[in-house]
Structures are given as structure tokens and as C-alpha cells.
Amino acid sequence: MPTTNHAPATNSPYVHGYSPQEARRLGDQADTLAALLHAGTAYEPGSRVLEAGCGVGAQTVHLVRSSPGAQIVAVDHSEESLAQARAHVTAQAPAAPVTWRHADLRQLPFARASFDHVFTCFVLEHLQDPAQALAELRRVLRPGGTLTVIEGDHGSVLFHPDSRHAQTVIDHQVRLQSAAGGNALIGRELHPLLTRAGYAEITVRPRTVYADATRPTLVDGFTRKTFIAMIESVRDEALAAGLTTTAAWNRGITDLHRTTDPDGTFHYTFFKATALKPQP
């Protein structure tokens, strides 16, 4: 989704960067959307849960809160992100039973059927080969174990006042993510991806964010601090790639900020998928 909460699990460049501002944005996003995205996700005490691509720990905190008795193993490809995640979770939940591992989702350092559950959020969108990662996650999941995947889809954006200039700057981010090997439109593909990766009992449901003047928390936490901040973060790359000019970029961002005005509205859809690893 709009962002991601994570460093990519392969060596693809993370289009949003690793700045302190990005870490704050990821935290704002996770906290603002926790009720929407984590509703219905809770793991039984004693179960082993793999968080694949934990990034800076923005989602880990919410996993710990919703499943206090679960044994969570959080992995990420970025050592820097893992250090931030450890500090973030320790500050929020110092007694949380989280194990941190530096690992690549293409080749995880775990035996077959090591986990009861796998959770991954805003990770597949940054991978050059999400099917490969899903196959590896299936390998480490026990038969009958569950997979939960959450992704966004920038093609779901609707807003008022309408503006082709604002839509264009969003399209620049989609193109840059594609050039980096990712897919900002992956939400719509979750069902076929999971089917091809060999999962069973797949269910995909939309989780929609709608913000207007009656929902100021979402206007600030999602529209302004999550989505628009994400688009603004790729300004330099868009200019360097020749996708836009400074004047055109500024016009688009100004129009995008108009959606946070009292007469503005903003809509975005996430997709949450659950599936099982088939029994032999």
C-alpha cells in the first residue's frame, strides 16, 4: 500500500528510502490503520508466528498487542530497519516475546513447517518476484497453518476535488516503484498470486479508507501523513528520472493537498487475504 511498512525482502531498492521521516510515516500509517487492517487477526497463545518483512516494527507492535501470548519471529532484509524495529517495539512493549532475525524472504533460515502462522503487510508490493517469496513462506508454514497478507493498490485512489495533476504525481510513484522492481497495484492480484503459490481456502476482502471533514483523524493520519507524505517522498526521483518538472510536481502536490481541505474527500482500498497451507 501506500508505502510500505517494510524494507524489501530482495535486493530491490526501497523506493521510499530509509530516512527518519519515512520511519515516522510508517508509524503514523500503522497506528492510524490498526483497527482497519488488524481486525480479525489474533494468534493463539503459544503459537509461532512469522512476521515476514517487519521493517521498522510499525506493524509488529500491533501484532504483539492483538496476540500477547504468541511467539513472534520478525524478519527483515535490512539490518538498519531491524535495529529500528527492535528499539520501537522495546519502547512500546518491553516484555513482548519477539525474536529478531536478519533474513531474505527468498531463502529463509528456518526448517520446513517451522511456523503456525505467517503475517506479511506491505511487503509483496516491493518484491521483484512475489510468487517466489510466497512459495518460501509456504515452505516454512506447517500444514493447516495460516497466511495473512495485506497490500494496497494505488489504482484504487479516488478523491475530490478531482485533479489530473494530482493523479499524475500518483502515477509517477507507481512508475518509479515499477522501475525499482515492485508493484504498487498488487492488491488486486492477491487471489491469483496465492492460488499459483499453492495455498488453499483463499479469501480476499477489501479494507477501505474514506476520509472527509467528519473524520479528521483519518484526514491527518492517512490522507496527509501517510498517502501524501509517501508521494512527496519520491519527488527527487521523479525529477531525476525526467518524469516531471518542478512546476508540474508542485501543482500536483498542491492539488493533492486540496483533498484535506474541509470540502475535500479521499478514498483508498487495501486488500487483506487469508489462506491455509494445504494438508498433505
Side-chain angles (χ1 to χ4, degrees):
M1 136 62 190
T3 97
T4 180
N5 287 322
H6 310 273
T10 72
N11 294 324
S12 303
Y14 178 52
V15 71
H16 306 301
Y18 297 95
S19 68
Q21 293 90 339
E22 174 63 6
R24 285 195 297 272
R25 186 184 72 80
L26 296 177
D28 288 336
Q29 173 179 254
D31 294 345
T32 300
L33 300 176
L36 178 75
L37 299 183
H38 285 267
T41 299
Y43 301 115
E44 62 273 17
S47 60
R48 281 178 53 81
V49 180
L50 174 66
E51 184 188 6
C54 66
V56 298
Q59 302 297 338
T60 316
V61 168
H62 297 286
L63 286 177
V64 166
R65 289 172 179 165
S66 62
S67 303
Q71 302 296 312
I72 297 173
V73 179
V75 305
D76 202 87
H77 136 96
S78 166
E79 292 272 26
E80 180 182 355
S81 292
L82 279 172
Q84 291 178 288
R86 186 181 292 109
H88 180 60
V89 173
T90 299
Q92 298 290 320
V98 180
T99 300
W100 307 96
R101 294 290 299 271
H102 178 236
D104 189 322
L105 295 192
R106 296 170 296 183
Q107 191 172 7
L108 291 166
F110 308 114
R112 185 178 300 275
S114 294
F115 295 95
D116 301 298
H117 308 284
V118 172
F119 176 90
T120 184
C121 181
F122 307 150
V123 173
L124 299 183
E125 64 169 310
H126 295 288
L127 305 185
Q128 292 182 0
D129 190 350
Q132 180 185 18
L134 287 170
E136 178 66 351
L137 294 176
R138 184 166 59 86
R139 181 186 70 80
V140 302
L141 188 60
R142 67 166 173 80
T146 72
L147 170 75
T148 297
V149 180
I150 302 172
E151 293 290 346
D153 191 316
H154 291 5
S156 70
V157 174
L158 298 171
F159 50 82
H160 174 81
D162 194 18
S163 164
R164 63 180 177 85
H165 305 286
Q167 185 60 57
T168 297
V169 295
I170 295 171
D171 292 342
H172 292 333
Q173 195 282 331
V174 173
R175 290 181 62 183
L176 288 167
Q177 191 160 328
S178 178
N183 180 4
L185 309 177
I186 201 168
R188 68 190 71 180
E189 298 181 27
L190 288 185
H191 192 280
L193 277 171
L194 292 173
T195 299
R196 290 195 296 269
Y199 290 89
E201 298 187 35
I202 302 164
T203 301
V204 181
R205 294 288 183 266
R207 300 287 175 104
T208 296
V209 181
Y210 170 75
D212 62 24
T214 67
R215 301 177 177 187
T217 299
L218 286 175
V219 171
D220 186 54
F222 182 73
T223 309
R224 184 179 293 114
K225 291 182 178 177
T226 294
F227 190 86
I228 297 177
M230 176 195 64
I231 300 301
E232 289 176 326
S233 73
V234 302
R235 173 188 180 277
D236 291 347
E237 293 99 315
L239 291 170
L243 297 179
T244 188
T245 64
T246 299
W249 177 268
N250 291 343
R251 170 69 184 275
I253 291 297
T254 296
D255 285 2
L256 200 51
H257 273 285
R258 280 278 291 112
T259 69
T260 69
D261 288 348
D263 65 340
T265 68
F266 194 88
H267 166 282
Y268 188 96
T269 300
F270 297 93
F271 294 88
K272 183 172 183 176
T274 58
L276 300 180
K277 178 175 178 176
Q279 297 285 351

